[in-house]
Every structure is written in structure tokens, then in C-alpha cells.
Amino acid sequence: MASPTPIAPAQKITTESLRGSLGFLLRVAQLRSFGHFFAVLGDEEVRPGEATVLDLIRENPGIRQGMVSKTLKIKRAQMSKMIREMEREGLVARAVPEDDRRAIELRLTKEGEAMIAGITARFPEIERRTQAALTPAEGAELRRLLIKLNGLDKTKGEDSDDPDDER
Amino acid sequence: MASPTPIAPAQKITTESLRGSLGFLLRVAQLRSFGHFFAVLGDEEVRPGEATVLDLIRENPGIRQGMVSKTLKIKRAQMSKMIREMEREGLVARAVPEDDRRAIELRLTKEGEAMIAGITARFPEIERRTQAALTPAEGAELRRLLIKLNGLDKTKGEDSDDPDDER
DNA sequence: TGTTATTTGTTTCCTAGTAGACAAAATAAA
DNA sequence: TTTATTTTGTCTACTAGGAAACAAATAACA
């Protein structure tokens, strides 16, 4: 319950440079979106990262673990842990392809399918809450700008200035 | 150095739902902005969060630790650790105000002033790199949308639907 | 006044995520 | 072929951050 009379802040502070900092704005926005995720799906035993991974595997059955890593910008070490845990939980099946015995192909189990189906069904609600403060047009524009900012609009092969780009 | 001929991805994958996910887009954008921070300030022994804290204290000498927490959405536990470490490093001075002996007022030391001055001087370069893919107008619009999304435009006292809002 | 609630910062324990080294497999180069 | 080089996933620390319990101080209240 929100206080009927919100407590007045004890201090007046200036946040000049904060609003100018894209990094800060992005961090806060991401914190909020995580918060909305847990507000809607807190009862499910899945974290945001796992949900994204499951969804990507659903869309691309047989996708290789490394490709999931690169696509979602999740470090390989972390990916390894996550996948093994989800395998243990019976959500994901791992298979070594014959043409490359280093790699691992990922597919969802029945349980995984059911799990991600129940989750993605509530994605729209999360999105709705996340951008509740924006008009629909603004929400769409925000997405477009973020996609462009992230270089996800380039089809492929472009030179990236991504500092996290590990090749 | 970027490969002259970028390696073709081993698999064609679809990322339908990824582009629709504001959470994912925000996470990637934030990762990139962190990457640019370290690309520009990697030699400094300061992390993004610490830089933001120092900058906020510089703007608001005597600000209370809890207010820094709330403003920057950093949990109190983490804040406590961070401040104590920066005090140990001689960047920040802590003082207990007479009117409330629970609280702690924060100020920068000479060293802290010098440190943050050197850092903020390079903030524009970080920002420039972060939004390099956008036109100036788009960069400004992105900021505006994020500020609105985060509810930072409301002057105060509004009812927030922020799930991370801890009162 | 005493008594209960709330605020403020800290501490302890735990988890998510990272860096770096590693082994196995595949590829390139000799 | 043999020998390097690269890729792929894993493992072992290590670090940042979060949750919950806590003590001290303050505020609210009977």
C-alpha cells in the first residue's frame, strides 16, 4: 500500500548529471523491468535470463549453446551453469551433434515447452507494466532506438564497435 | 582488430521475441554502456557505480548515505560496503550529524574531488560512444523516453508503480 | 512518561555473474 | 602427415550484489 501522504524527502538534492547519464538511465530502467518480471512471474521458479534462454531455444530448436551465449550476451561460463541446471530440472535436453563433437545442441523437453509457454503467455503483461508510463507510440519508439543503439538492426557482418564483443 | 571478413554465423537463428522484449533490449544496452565506461576509464580504479556515487556526493555535499541509496537505486547493504571502501581509499569522508546520530553525511575529500573531476571530464566521451549509433536527436529522445519511463520527470510525491520501490 | 514502530546503517550469508585456465575437438598451416 | 591455432564447453576461483537479521537512534503513541 502506498502511503496516503508520501513522506517528503528529507533533503533536496540535485541530480543534474544523473539525468544526462545514459548508463544510469539504462540501469534504472533495467532494474524496473526486472522488478516487473518478478512482480508478474515471481511465483514461477525461473529467472529473467532463464526465461529468455528457454524462449530462444523454443524459437530455434537445436541451437548451439555458444550461439545462445552470443545472441543473449551471456558469458559462456554462466551459460554452461545455467544449461546444466535446466537440464537437471528436466527443462532442456542437450545433444552432441555428429559433425562437431565439441558443440552442444539444445532442445526443450515437454516440460520445458510447457514451462516457457506458461511464461511467454505473461510476457505481454510484463511489457505492458514496464512501459506503462509511456504512450504506445513512445514505447514503440523506445524499442526502435534501443534496437538501433544495440546494433541489432544491422542484418549482419557490420563492423561493430561493441566493447563487449569478444571475438 | 576486426576480422577483414567477419566470420559468418554458423547458424541462422530467429530472434523474434527478443526484439520485442524491452527487458532484453535494456539489458544489452546497459552492458554496452558499461563496456564503454571501461573502455574509456578502464585504467582508473573506479567502477561505474562508484563513479556515480562520487559524482552525486560532489553535487550534494553532506548528502546522507540513505539518500544516495534511494537516488541511485543501490541497496543499502551494497552502499554501506561501497562507502566504507571509498573512505578507506581516502575518497570520501563520513560524518554523523548532530540532529540524527543514526545517519551519515557524506563529503568528498581532496583526493575524492580530484578523482571525480578526472573521471567526469571523460563522461562525455563515454556518452558519445554509447550513443554513437544514434543521431543526436535520437540520443536526446532516448534520454527523454528513459527519464519518463523511469518516472524521473515527476517532480515528487506521485504514486509510483515501481516494483523496486522499498518503503 | 514509558512503550511500540520506524528509520538508518551494518553485518552475515547466499546467489548470479565474471575472469582465466583448462581439455577436447576441429581447423589451418607446415 | 604433423604441428600449430582456433573454437567450444567446462571448471575453479573471485567479485558484485541482494536478502534477511540485527543494533542503535529516532519518532509515534498510549
Side-chain angles (χ1 to χ4, degrees):
Chain A
M1 253 11 82
S3 325
T5 315
I7 299 90
Q11 291 183 305
K12 288 174 190 172
I13 61 168
T14 64
T15 55
E16 274 292 312
S17 47
L18 280 186
R19 307 194 179 209
S21 165
L22 211 42
F24 173 73
L25 294 174
L26 288 169
R27 173 169 160 276
V28 172
Q30 207 220 325
L31 280 179
R32 287 177 55 89
S33 92
F34 267 48
H36 288 297
F37 180 95
F38 287 112
V40 173
L41 292 171
D43 47 337
E44 303 282 344
E45 49 191 13
V46 174
R47 282 172 282 279
E50 292 170 337
T52 315
V53 168
L54 290 176
D55 197 30
L56 184 63
I57 299 175
R58 182 191 58 71
E59 265 196 331
N60 302 275
I63 189 174
R64 292 190 182 179
Q65 192 167 308
M67 183 61 62
V68 178
S69 259
K70 279 178 198 158
T71 306
L72 302 183
K73 311 283 187 186
I74 295 173
K75 293 286 179 299
R76 283 176 307 163
Q78 173 65 8
M79 198 71 233
S80 183
K81 286 186 221 170
M82 199 187 291
I83 292 294
R84 294 180 88 84
E85 187 196 338
M86 293 200 292
E87 183 191 34
R88 194 176 51 69
E89 294 171 344
L91 300 175
V92 167
R94 307 190 310 151
V96 176
E98 295 192 352
D99 62 316
D100 189 342
R101 309 221 319 277
R102 294 168 305 181
I104 289 186
E105 293 179 348
L106 301 174
R107 286 180 181 77
L108 298 185
T109 62
K110 288 282 181 192
E111 292 80 6
E113 295 274 7
M115 168 71 86
I116 194 58
I119 289 173
T120 51
R122 296 200 251 169
F123 276 179
E125 172 64 11
I126 299 175
E127 294 292 318
R128 193 190 63 73
R129 294 192 189 199
T130 301
Q131 57 184 308
L134 304 181
T135 69
E138 286 174 333
E141 177 67 359
L142 177 58
R143 273 163 221 278
R144 186 186 76 78
L145 292 174
L146 287 173
I147 288 173
K148 188 173 177 188
L149 184 79
N150 290 337
L152 297 175
D153 53 343
K154 303 175 196 164
T155 45
K156 86 174 50 168
E158 297 287 320
D159 242 11
S160 123
D161 65 340
D162 189 342
D164 287 331
D165 203 347
E166 38 170 350
R167 3 184 198 203
Chain B
M1 267 348 96
S3 324
T5 317
I7 297 89
Q11 292 182 304
K12 290 173 188 171
I13 61 169
T14 64
T15 55
E16 274 292 313
S17 48
L18 279 185
R19 309 196 177 205
S21 163
L22 211 43
F24 173 72
L25 294 174
L26 288 168
R27 174 169 159 276
V28 172
Q30 207 221 325
L31 281 179
R32 287 176 56 89
S33 93
F34 267 49
H36 288 297
F37 180 95
F38 287 112
V40 174
L41 292 172
D43 47 335
E44 304 282 343
E45 49 192 13
V46 175
R47 280 172 283 280
E50 293 170 337
T52 316
V53 168
L54 289 176
D55 197 29
L56 185 63
I57 299 176
R58 182 191 56 72
E59 265 197 331
N60 302 274
I63 189 175
R64 292 191 181 179
Q65 193 166 309
M67 183 60 63
V68 178
S69 258
K70 280 179 198 158
T71 306
L72 302 183
K73 311 284 188 187
I74 295 172
K75 293 286 179 298
R76 282 176 308 162
Q78 174 63 10
M79 198 70 233
S80 183
K81 289 183 217 170
M82 198 187 293
I83 293 295
R84 294 181 88 84
E85 188 197 338
M86 293 200 293
E87 182 191 34
R88 193 177 50 72
E89 293 170 346
L91 300 175
V92 167
R94 308 190 308 151
V96 175
E98 295 192 351
D99 61 318
D100 187 344
R101 309 220 320 276
R102 295 168 302 181
I104 290 187
E105 291 179 347
L106 302 174
R107 285 180 181 77
L108 297 184
T109 62
K110 288 282 181 193
E111 291 80 5
E113 296 274 7
M115 168 73 85
I116 194 58
I119 288 172
T120 51
R122 296 200 250 170
F123 275 180
E125 172 63 10
I126 298 176
E127 294 292 318
R128 193 191 62 73
R129 294 193 190 199
T130 302
Q131 57 184 311
L134 303 181
T135 69
E138 286 174 332
E141 177 67 359
L142 178 59
R143 273 162 222 278
R144 186 186 75 79
L145 292 174
L146 287 173
I147 288 172
K148 188 173 178 189
L149 184 79
N150 291 338
L152 297 175
D153 52 343
K154 304 174 195 163
T155 45
K156 89 174 47 167
E158 296 288 318
D159 242 8
S160 122
D161 65 341
D162 188 344
D164 287 330
D165 205 345
E166 40 169 350
R167 5 186 197 202

